[in-house]
Amino acid sequence: MEKLTELYVNATQRLNNEKGAQSLEWLGIAALLIMILGIVSTAVSGQSGGISEIIKGIIEKIKTMVG
C-alpha cells in the first residue's frame, strides 16, 4: 500500500509541475500574432483601397452569412 501511495504522489507531482507552461503560452500567442500580421500584410499589399476596404468587405460578408 505504501508503494502505491508513493506512486500516486510521484504522479501527481509530475502532473502539477507547470514550469515553463506560461512561457510556452506566450510563444504561442506571439506566433499567432505574427501569423495574423503576415496574412493582413499580404491581403493589404494587393489592395488599392487599403485596410478599411478590407475590413468593410469582411463585415459585409459576415452580415450576409448571419442574416
Side-chain angles (χ1 to χ4, degrees):
M1 185 69 170
E2 187 175 317
K3 184 69 174 172
L4 185 60
T5 305
E6 182 181 331
L7 287 172
Y8 174 76
V9 170
N10 191 12
T12 56
Q13 285 177 347
R14 289 178 189 256
L15 290 175
N16 290 332
N17 185 4
E18 295 185 15
K19 291 180 182 176
Q22 186 177 13
S23 60
L24 185 61
E25 290 169 358
W26 281 111
L27 284 174
I29 291 171
L32 182 65
L33 287 174
I34 290 170
M35 190 169 58
I36 290 171
L37 286 173
I39 291 169
V40 169
S41 67
T42 303
V44 172
S45 66
Q47 297 289 325
S48 60
I51 193 157
S52 63
E53 292 297 320
I54 294 172
I55 292 173
K56 286 179 187 176
I58 291 171
I59 291 172
E60 287 301 317
K61 287 181 182 179
I62 291 172
K63 284 182 183 178
T64 57
M65 287 179 176
V66 173

